[in-house]
Amino acid sequence: NCPRRSRLISRWGGTFVRASITDASDRLRRGEVFDLSIVDHSRNLDERAAAVSETALRALKERCMEKRVPVISLRPIASRNVVATQGISMASTMTPIKAAGLYQAVERAIFGSQARQAPQSRRTPSDPVPHSTLSVLVAEDNLVNQKVARLTLRSLGFANVDVVSNGREVLKALATQKYEILFLDIHMPEMDGLEATKAIRAEGRTPRPWIVALTASAMAGDREMCLNAGMDDYLAKPLQRDALILVLDRAKEGIAKQASAPESGRTATSFLSGAQRRSQAISAPPRAVAPASPAIIDTRALERLRGLGLPTGSSGSDLVTELVDGFLREVPDKLNRIGKALAEEDFLKAHRFTHSLVSAAGNLGVVGVVKAARTLESVLRLKSPEDCEHAYLALKHEFDLAVPELARERQKVD
């Protein structure tokens, strides 16, 4: 809806079409072919309107992904009252829009890790990662996510990886051992990642650990909220290897700068300012992986897990068996807890349990459960018992559909 943006985009030639969410969905459904989709998230909306708009935009983005159309999100600087489904975007750039920023976003969306880079820039995510002596602590309350995070980090050369379940355990671990990099989920029981970060920063610890936020929600303002709390970077779940490598590269650079800074000026010069961190974190958003079809299970996710292997050196089949079994045990309990919370109209508790399903299902490629859980997350913010019950039943239905598919995949492993 901005003429200046239209002029910037049209400058590259070709055919440029402006459309509403409904019109864009209809065009894709009719089979029209597009090379790129640029979705605007810059409207200021009240909470209810934002939730409704987010659901519509997510549906549009998912349709784009099904049609193999790369997606770029346009998001306003320092605005939290906007919809922001960055989790399904190939790239994002900020508004007011700059020609250079938009060009780089187009490059990232279309070419991904093959995007043009300066000769001296950091390596691409496909390059091998050397062994690292840095110690890493992951705070995550979901068992599936814990295992995937630990094994992915180990496959990237990080041998010293520990896992805890909440922020209080993070503080206890830091009291007895030095960790250079912390990955903190922002939604955890007892003490979440934001509270833990504030406590760590208040200690004035030297050297300061590099803190990366983990979240599956990708909601408006999440990135800014994390950076303002004292975190250094931001990573969406489920973890994508390429995005994780870029985050680790930035962590190594930040740690190296802190180590080389003069002792007297270390606090002032070791870390980027909030605005610089925000800009750097946004410059390389994780690239979402679109399912090849509306299948219940995206088996490519399971193949990636098999490729991780186990610390003992096995092929990885045992890992998939373990994660599938854990998922099938854990989800019925989570669904019961969500149902009980809805019966008590405790929407906050229901949201917490629903959120924990998103990344676990994403790690195993259970795309139907991921989509239904994200929908329930959005509906819960409207606090409508009837709508929440409908979305909850849809989530249970998607899980019921996934169970036999996961069992078949497990049999292949066996």
Side-chain angles (χ1 to χ4, degrees), residues 238 301 304 357-366 370:
R304 286 194 294 271
L357 291 179
V358 176
S359 54
N363 280 323
L364 293 173
V366 192
V370 171

mmCIF file of all heavy atoms in Angstrom, residues 238 301 304 357-366 370:
data_model
loop_
_atom_site.group_PDB
_atom_site.id
_atom_site.type_symbol
_atom_site.label_atom_id
_atom_site.label_comp_id
_atom_site.label_asym_id
_atom_site.label_seq_id
_atom_site.Cartn_x
_atom_site.Cartn_y
_atom_site.Cartn_z
ATOM 1 N N PRO A 238 11.743 -24.741 14.849
ATOM 2 C CA PRO A 238 12.811 -25.719 15.065
ATOM 3 C C PRO A 238 14.118 -25.263 14.424
ATOM 4 O O PRO A 238 14.117 -24.528 13.433
ATOM 5 C CB PRO A 238 12.280 -26.990 14.397
ATOM 6 C CG PRO A 238 11.309 -26.509 13.365
ATOM 7 C CD PRO A 238 10.684 -25.277 13.956
ATOM 8 N N ALA A 301 12.758 -34.008 7.346
ATOM 9 C CA ALA A 301 13.174 -33.661 8.708
ATOM 10 C C ALA A 301 13.759 -34.880 9.419
ATOM 11 O O ALA A 301 14.768 -34.778 10.124
ATOM 12 C CB ALA A 301 11.976 -33.112 9.498
ATOM 13 N N ARG A 304 17.240 -35.566 8.149
ATOM 14 C CA ARG A 304 18.237 -34.685 8.752
ATOM 15 C C ARG A 304 18.642 -35.202 10.130
ATOM 16 O O ARG A 304 19.811 -35.147 10.506
ATOM 17 C CB ARG A 304 17.692 -33.256 8.858
ATOM 18 C CG ARG A 304 17.636 -32.518 7.531
ATOM 19 C CD ARG A 304 17.416 -31.032 7.758
ATOM 20 N NE ARG A 304 16.121 -30.756 8.340
ATOM 21 C CZ ARG A 304 15.022 -30.538 7.648
ATOM 22 N NH1 ARG A 304 15.057 -30.577 6.333
ATOM 23 N NH2 ARG A 304 13.865 -30.274 8.247
ATOM 24 N N LEU A 357 4.732 -27.561 21.894
ATOM 25 C CA LEU A 357 4.533 -28.589 20.872
ATOM 26 C C LEU A 357 5.105 -28.190 19.522
ATOM 27 O O LEU A 357 5.463 -29.047 18.717
ATOM 28 C CB LEU A 357 3.035 -28.875 20.697
ATOM 29 C CG LEU A 357 2.308 -29.575 21.837
ATOM 30 C CD1 LEU A 357 0.842 -29.746 21.478
ATOM 31 C CD2 LEU A 357 2.934 -30.935 22.108
ATOM 32 N N VAL A 358 5.174 -26.880 19.256
ATOM 33 C CA VAL A 358 5.505 -26.407 17.919
ATOM 34 C C VAL A 358 6.882 -26.872 17.471
ATOM 35 O O VAL A 358 7.040 -27.480 16.414
ATOM 36 C CB VAL A 358 5.400 -24.866 17.843
ATOM 37 C CG1 VAL A 358 5.852 -24.380 16.464
ATOM 38 C CG2 VAL A 358 3.969 -24.416 18.101
ATOM 39 N N SER A 359 7.897 -26.578 18.266
ATOM 40 C CA SER A 359 9.251 -26.909 17.832
ATOM 41 C C SER A 359 9.510 -28.404 17.887
ATOM 42 O O SER A 359 10.238 -28.946 17.050
ATOM 43 C CB SER A 359 10.283 -26.165 18.688
ATOM 44 O OG SER A 359 10.058 -26.411 20.062
ATOM 45 N N ALA A 360 8.927 -29.112 18.866
ATOM 46 C CA ALA A 360 9.107 -30.564 18.934
ATOM 47 C C ALA A 360 8.529 -31.226 17.691
ATOM 48 O O ALA A 360 9.161 -32.098 17.078
ATOM 49 C CB ALA A 360 8.440 -31.113 20.191
ATOM 50 N N ALA A 361 7.323 -30.812 17.295
ATOM 51 C CA ALA A 361 6.713 -31.362 16.084
ATOM 52 C C ALA A 361 7.501 -30.949 14.848
ATOM 53 O O ALA A 361 7.667 -31.730 13.910
ATOM 54 C CB ALA A 361 5.261 -30.893 15.973
ATOM 55 N N GLY A 362 8.014 -29.713 14.857
ATOM 56 C CA GLY A 362 8.802 -29.247 13.716
ATOM 57 C C GLY A 362 10.079 -30.036 13.533
ATOM 58 O O GLY A 362 10.491 -30.336 12.414
ATOM 59 N N ASN A 363 10.735 -30.390 14.632
ATOM 60 C CA ASN A 363 11.960 -31.180 14.541
ATOM 61 C C ASN A 363 11.728 -32.520 13.877
ATOM 62 O O ASN A 363 12.605 -33.049 13.189
ATOM 63 C CB ASN A 363 12.545 -31.400 15.940
ATOM 64 C CG ASN A 363 13.312 -30.196 16.444
ATOM 65 O OD1 ASN A 363 13.999 -29.521 15.681
ATOM 66 N ND2 ASN A 363 13.198 -29.903 17.732
ATOM 67 N N LEU A 364 10.546 -33.100 14.101
ATOM 68 C CA LEU A 364 10.218 -34.402 13.514
ATOM 69 C C LEU A 364 9.477 -34.281 12.192
ATOM 70 O O LEU A 364 9.098 -35.292 11.601
ATOM 71 C CB LEU A 364 9.375 -35.211 14.503
ATOM 72 C CG LEU A 364 10.083 -35.645 15.787
ATOM 73 C CD1 LEU A 364 9.103 -36.281 16.748
ATOM 74 C CD2 LEU A 364 11.214 -36.607 15.474
ATOM 75 N N GLY A 365 9.254 -33.046 11.731
ATOM 76 C CA GLY A 365 8.581 -32.850 10.451
ATOM 77 C C GLY A 365 7.092 -33.137 10.482
ATOM 78 O O GLY A 365 6.499 -33.438 9.440
ATOM 79 N N VAL A 366 6.456 -33.045 11.663
ATOM 80 C CA VAL A 366 5.015 -33.305 11.776
ATOM 81 C C VAL A 366 4.282 -32.008 11.429
ATOM 82 O O VAL A 366 3.823 -31.263 12.296
ATOM 83 C CB VAL A 366 4.638 -33.812 13.185
ATOM 84 C CG1 VAL A 366 3.210 -34.348 13.200
ATOM 85 C CG2 VAL A 366 5.598 -34.892 13.644
ATOM 86 N N VAL A 370 2.284 -28.929 13.616
ATOM 87 C CA VAL A 370 2.885 -27.591 13.699
ATOM 88 C C VAL A 370 1.865 -26.528 13.291
ATOM 89 O O VAL A 370 1.661 -25.528 13.995
ATOM 90 C CB VAL A 370 4.136 -27.493 12.798
ATOM 91 C CG1 VAL A 370 4.619 -26.046 12.726
ATOM 92 C CG2 VAL A 370 5.256 -28.373 13.343
#
